[in-house]
Amino acid sequence: MSNYAGLTEADALGKGGEDLGISSEGLYQRLNNLIQDMDRDGDSLQGNALARFRDARNELTTRFDELMTWCRNNGIKLNEGQREFTAVDSDSGDEFAAAGRQAGGLSRPING
């Protein structure tokens, strides 16, 4: 595994986390709309079909809750990763600047 992060934008992980959060909110709204529609559709069913329909709706809700948990957890991880990356980048820059200040001038000219 490489030790080089290779990010082309300084806040790529943070943006990824934010985008994941926005996408998951949109999915959540659409699922709520679907479940409301399914509740109305269930009114037209009866007997065994209604029971199976409700089982399917409950399974959909359960699996979607799992997906939302995954999105939340991974969005948080992306944001935590961004904070860590930013801290390491800042520390590295500070160390490089300090090393540059400690380096003395050349004792004689290079081409001389």
Side-chain angles (χ1 to χ4, degrees):
M1 184 170 149
S2 173
N3 290 329
Y4 177 66
L7 298 177
T8 57
E9 292 186 41
D11 60 348
L13 294 173
K15 285 183 180 181
E18 289 173 18
D19 290 347
L20 182 57
I22 291 168
S23 295
S24 64
E25 285 300 316
L27 284 172
Y28 187 74
Q29 290 298 326
R30 286 190 291 258
L31 178 74
N32 280 335
N33 292 339
L34 175 62
I35 289 177
Q36 288 173 3
D37 289 344
M38 289 176 82
D39 283 339
R40 288 189 293 270
D41 291 342
D43 291 340
S44 65
L45 299 172
Q46 45 184 304
N48 195 33
L50 178 59
R52 295 214 184 254
F53 182 81
R54 287 187 176 151
D55 288 344
R57 184 192 63 204
N58 291 339
E59 184 71 17
L60 175 64
T61 302
T62 300
R63 296 297 165 239
F64 192 77
D65 287 342
E66 291 172 359
L67 174 63
M68 293 302 294
T69 299
W70 183 90
C71 288
R72 272 191 303 277
N73 289 342
N74 285 289
I76 289 169
K77 288 177 186 175
L78 285 172
N79 285 324
E80 288 173 354
Q82 179 64 55
R83 281 192 293 275
E84 186 67 26
F85 185 83
T86 300
V88 168
D89 184 52
S90 178
D91 291 347
S92 296
D94 292 345
E95 289 176 15
F96 184 74
R101 285 190 298 273
Q102 291 175 358
L106 297 174
S107 59
R108 59 187 174 92
I110 294 175
N111 294 328

